[in-house]
Every structure is written in structure tokens, then in C-alpha cells.
């Protein structure tokens, strides 16, 4: 009798775990027939151009997908394709001091993404994602401040893109 109960538990557990298709603990729902992805160059079309920003963003998106899925990165003919452009790179004051100077500045980066799923065209997406980083108005956006700002913005933007295209959040 114990053997039947044990087999019943194993079967129930296996069906519940694998019965709904491929599932990842990162929240990604990648169909079994999708094996590869590619990230094309993101043109920097912002009015204020930060050199190397498009390369850094592309690498951040590639790394996030690589770390959160079992997909293989390819240079062409990917099952999933990401492309787009950086549409905004803006620094603006958010609060002022009594001397009419900026107490806090905000860096905002916006990216327009086109996502193509060659295995399921209904999943294709074109959407703009934007995020910001606030920093002290007395600081210049250089060195460690700029590196931290870019890192935090890219982390949020890439996660939002991942969620919209693969996690369906």
C-alpha cells in the first residue's frame, strides 16, 4: 500500500511541475521550440548623445536574458529578436533650492524596443520603456555617479523589457 501511495505522490508532483510546459523560476515562460535569441544594435537617436550608451545597453540586455533563461545568444537568425533605439537621454532638475539652483537632478533614459518571436508572431511587441535616476544637484553626471546611474537605469529597463517579452507581466 505504501508503494502505491509513493508512486501516486511522485506522479502527481511530476505532472504538476512539468504539466504546464517549460517554466523558469525567474518567471520566464519560454516555449520548448525557442532555443536562441539575438539582440541587434540599438541606435542612439536621443538629442543628447552619450558615447557608448547603445553598446552598454545592448550588452546589459544580452546579459539579463542569458542569466535568466536557457536561451543561446546568436548573431543572426535568432528565434527571438530584440532591436530598437534609444529615444531619450535627458538630464533635468527635479527640485530647486532657495537660490534657484537644482537641489536634485534626474537622468532619464527611454528606449523603444521592437521584439519579434519568429516561432509565435502573436507575441511580437513594439513598446517604449523609460526609467530615471536622481542624483544630487551639486554633482556632475561623471565618473562613479554616471556609472551608477547607467547601471541602475539599465537594470530596471532590461528587467521591464524581459517581463514584457518573456514573463508576460
Amino acid at each position: 500500500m505504501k508503494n502505491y501511495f509513493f508512486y501516486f505522490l511522485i506522479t502527481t508532483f511530476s505532472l504538476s511541475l512539468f504539466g504546464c510546459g517549460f517554466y523558469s523560476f525567474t518567471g520566464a515562460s519560454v516555449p520548448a521550440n525557442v532555443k536562441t535569441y539575438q539582440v541587434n544594435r540599438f541606435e542612439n537617436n536621443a538629442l543628447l548623445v552619450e558615447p557608448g550608451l547603445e553598446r552598454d545597453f545592448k550588452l546589459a540586455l544580452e546579459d539579463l536574458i542569458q542569466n535568466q533563461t536557457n536561451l543561446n545568444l546568436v548573431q543572426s537568425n535568432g528565434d527571438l529578436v530584440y532591436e530598437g533605439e534609444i529615444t531619450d537621454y535627458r538630464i533635468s532638475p527635479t527640485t530647486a533650492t532657495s537660490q534657484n539652483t537644482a537641489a536634485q537632478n534626474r537622468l532619464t533614459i527611454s528606449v523603444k524596443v521592437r521584439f519579434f518571436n519568429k516561432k509565435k508572431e502573436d507575441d511580437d511587441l513594439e513598446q517604449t520603456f523609460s526609467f530615471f535616476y536622481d542624483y544630487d544637484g551639486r554633482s556632475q553626471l561623471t565618473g562613479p555617479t554616471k556609472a551608477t546611474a547607467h547601471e541602475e537605469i539599465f537594470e530596471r529597463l532590461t528587467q521591464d523589457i524581459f517581463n514584457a517579452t518573456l514573463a508576460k507581466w
Side-chain angles (χ1 to χ4, degrees), residues 13-81:
F13 177 74
S14 297
L15 288 174
S16 65
L17 187 61
F18 301 109
C20 297
F22 178 78
Y23 180 77
S24 157
F25 290 106
T26 63
S29 180
V30 181
N33 64 337
V34 174
K35 304 287 184 207
T36 61
Y37 75 100
Q38 75 183 65
V39 179
N40 294 335
R41 186 172 189 268
F42 278 74
E43 287 289 324
N44 191 344
N45 294 330
L47 291 177
L48 179 59
V49 175
E50 176 65 31
L53 190 71
E54 66 277 1
R55 180 202 63 231
D56 295 343
F57 177 76
K58 178 184 185 294
L59 292 173
L61 184 57
E62 287 174 350
D63 289 347
L64 179 89
I65 296 167
Q66 188 75 52
N67 291 335
Q68 293 194 14
T69 69
N70 290 327
L71 298 173
N72 294 314
L73 176 64
V74 295
Q75 298 303 313
S76 62
N77 297 320
D79 297 329
L80 307 177
V81 178

Side-chain angles (χ1 to χ4, degrees), residues 83-146:
E83 64 183 32
E85 56 265 354
I86 297 168
T87 57
D88 196 20
Y89 186 92
R90 178 176 17 108
I91 300 169
S92 54
T94 57
T95 57
T97 65
S98 60
Q99 292 83 27
N100 287 329
T101 60
Q104 192 171 37
N105 287 325
R106 173 172 287 177
L107 170 64
T108 303
I109 300 177
S110 298
V111 180
K112 184 175 185 179
V113 175
R114 288 179 297 280
F115 169 75
F116 304 99
N117 183 338
K118 293 182 181 177
K119 302 289 186 176
K120 186 177 177 190
E121 291 181 6
D122 289 345
D123 286 351
D124 290 359
L125 172 80
E126 184 169 333
Q127 185 176 338
T128 299
F129 298 88
S130 186
F131 200 67
F132 61 89
Y133 177 82
D134 292 335
Y135 62 97
D136 190 309
R138 296 170 298 195
S139 299
Q140 294 293 316
L141 190 62
T142 58
T145 303
K146 182 170 76 171

